[in-house]
Amino acid sequence: MENNKELRTWLDDFKLEHPLVIAGPCSAETEDQVLQIANELKDSDVSIFRAGIWKPRTRPGGFEGVGAIGLKWMQKAKAETGLLMATEVANANHVKLAIEHDIDVLWIGARTAVNPFAIQEIADALEGTDKIVLLKNPINPDLSLWIGGLERLYNANIKKLGVIHRGFSTYDKTKYRNNPEWQIAIDMQNRFPDLPLICDPSHITGRRDMIHEVSQQALDMNYDGLIIETHIDPDNAWSDAAQQVTPDDLKKMFVDLKVRKVSDNEGVFNQEMTKLRAQIDEFDGKLLEILGNRMKVADKIGELKKEKNVAILQNKRWNEILGKMILEGEEKGLSNDFVMHMFKAIHQESITHQEKIVNG
């Protein structure tokens, strides 16, 4: 699969003067709930109404969606509001039912995206469709797996494709429900710059008070749209209550969010950017030189450990380094998450160097 301008055609056809917005409840709960939310969103920046019909839950026993009856409610909402309708599909039967009920946009969730067999089943069921098909990132931070799922859909002659960045599961506790790992989405964006990229701040944050912040971060990185869970009574939602916002809060967010220009052709701006980027390039070169020299020291440590038959991993020393660096990073205006990720990567590279020496 190669990037091409036609990947953007379906998005350009909306002729929007703002990013694409997909909004609606995490789950369709009742006909009245679906219709009320859709009607409150119809005269806003929302172009596509979303609602979960089948809800894959982490553990059994929770609310797993109303099933196909909810598709009839969405048909009625479409007739009343003119909004396009979107729902998640996880197998060929879901696809069949969604198409029968004239659903316009189908997305494939993170739990399904991790399974190539499931993606292929859905791709076969959708082959040649004119529906818009959006693929969420898999739950684990694996760009190749994400691209592989996209390629299966592309090879099924599905023309209207896009991807949704909803964050990644992590064992480490962070302020996010699903760690954004922005670089993975940026790498996808760099690989396919014309493929519509949509951010899901609801699932990244898991908290309604952070949705504006993450939405703005996405728009600052030139994302093409947002998919935001919206409910008339979020606290009493049947699923994912903590991450849903009211229609009024969503509309206020549209006013407050700032859409940035991709660039600026003004001469002074470009001159200043050239100077600043030259400084960044210089610092990046110095960083690599410092890291290279650090690994040379790690090699010497590996040689000493081999000579004395000492274990490579020294947890006490590692924890001391990490604690110290986090404190020093705070003094320099660096976030704890950034310092932890950076030094974990450096530590792993150091261990790899030492393993080659000790076991060589």
Side-chain angles (χ1 to χ4, degrees):
M1 176 178 172
E2 299 293 333
N3 180 68
N4 67 75
K5 297 290 184 183
E6 291 181 2
L7 291 171
R8 298 193 64 80
T9 301
W10 69 264
L11 182 59
D12 292 340
D13 286 346
F14 278 94
K15 295 181 169 49
L16 299 173
E17 296 180 355
H18 53 75
L20 177 71
V21 181
I22 305 170
C26 174
S27 301
E29 298 168 358
T30 67
E31 181 176 344
D32 286 345
Q33 174 241 20
V34 168
L35 294 175
Q36 184 176 343
I37 298 171
N39 276 287
E40 290 198 23
L41 295 177
K42 70 176 180 179
D43 295 321
S44 70
D45 287 352
V46 175
S47 298
I48 302 170
F49 178 85
R50 58 141 292 153
I53 298 300
W54 303 280
K55 300 299 298 179
R57 311 313 297 167
T58 302
R59 298 176 65 183
F63 173 63
E64 296 188 337
V66 296
I69 184 80
L71 296 171
K72 296 184 182 299
W73 306 339
M74 294 181 76
Q75 278 185 301
K76 191 170 181 180
K78 181 176 181 177
E80 286 190 9
T81 66
L83 291 170
L84 299 185
M85 295 288 124
T87 198
E88 178 177 347
V89 292
N91 57 48
N93 187 53
H94 291 171
V95 170
K96 177 177 177 291
L97 289 168
I99 291 175
E100 285 176 356
H101 289 83
D102 199 27
I103 301 300
D104 306 280
V105 181
L106 309 178
W107 81 81
I108 301 167
R111 291 179 176 87
T112 308
V114 79
N115 184 344
F117 293 105
I119 295 289
Q120 190 61 56
E121 176 186 333
I122 294 169
D124 292 342
L126 283 168
E127 185 165 5
T129 186
D130 63 351
K131 302 292 186 183
I132 297 168
V133 181
L134 306 176
L135 178 65
K136 287 196 173 186
N137 63 256
I139 55 175
N140 50 313
D142 187 336
L143 179 61
S144 294
L145 190 59
W146 197 4
I147 291 175
L150 183 67
E151 289 174 332
R152 289 178 186 276
L153 297 168
Y154 182 83
N155 290 340
N157 195 30
I158 299 169
K159 302 295 188 184
K160 300 176 182 178
L161 286 172
V163 290
I164 299 174
H165 173 210
R166 53 78 79 188
F168 302 86
S169 296
T170 176
Y171 182 75
D172 298 324
K173 289 185 178 180
T174 73
K175 65 181 182 178
Y176 302 102
R177 177 182 178 184
N178 295 290
N179 207 40
E181 303 284 1
W182 293 105
Q183 189 58 49
I184 295 176
I186 291 169
D187 288 344
M188 174 66 88
Q189 194 176 41
N190 289 337
R191 179 80 176 268
F192 303 106
D194 289 300
L195 179 72
L197 174 61
I198 295 164
C199 182
D200 180 351
S202 303
H203 281 89
I204 287 176
T205 64
R207 293 168 44 183
R208 68 177 64 98
D209 63 317
M210 291 178 61
I211 287 175
H212 180 279
E213 171 192 338
V214 170
S215 296
Q216 187 63 66
Q217 285 180 275
L219 295 182
D220 289 347
M221 290 185 280
N222 297 318
Y223 278 53
D224 297 290
L226 303 167
I227 177 168
I228 299 176
E229 292 188 347
T230 311
H231 197 288
I232 46 175
D233 186 10
D235 289 331
N236 292 303
W238 295 3
S239 59
D240 287 346
Q243 67 190 39
Q244 301 193 62
V245 299
T246 65
D248 285 343
D249 286 339
L250 184 68
K251 292 172 187 175
K252 183 179 185 304
M253 199 182 306
F254 295 153
V255 175
D256 295 338
L257 287 172
K258 295 178 174 60
V259 180
R260 315 294 185 187
K261 294 183 291 184
V262 174
S263 186
D264 190 306
N265 294 323
E266 187 188 47
V268 174
F269 170 84
N270 289 326
Q271 289 173 9
E272 287 301 311
M273 284 296 290
T274 299
K275 291 177 185 176
L276 293 170
R277 285 171 174 165
Q279 292 178 42
I280 290 288
D281 290 345
E282 184 178 353
F283 283 123
D284 286 346
K286 289 178 179 177
L287 278 172
L288 287 177
E289 183 178 353
I290 290 169
L291 288 171
N293 289 333
R294 188 189 191 283
M295 292 308 153
K296 289 177 182 177
V297 177
D299 289 342
K300 291 180 180 178
I301 291 173
E303 291 167 0
L304 184 59
K305 286 178 178 175
K306 181 176 182 179
E307 179 185 341
K308 300 299 182 181
N309 195 31
V310 172
I312 293 173
L313 181 60
Q314 301 288 321
N315 266 326
K316 182 179 178 183
R317 165 68 176 163
W318 160 236
N319 289 327
E320 288 173 353
I321 291 174
L322 188 59
K324 180 183 177 184
M325 291 300 102
I326 286 174
L327 290 174
E328 290 191 13
E330 286 179 352
E331 294 175 0
K332 294 175 172 59
L334 302 175
S335 71
N336 290 354
D337 284 348
F338 170 73
V339 173
M340 285 182 65
H341 278 84
M342 179 178 69
F343 275 94
K344 281 182 179 180
I346 292 171
H347 185 237
Q348 182 57 59
E349 181 69 9
S350 180
I351 287 175
T352 301
H353 274 244
Q354 293 181 39
E355 282 179 338
K356 288 180 181 177
I357 291 169
V358 170
N359 298 316

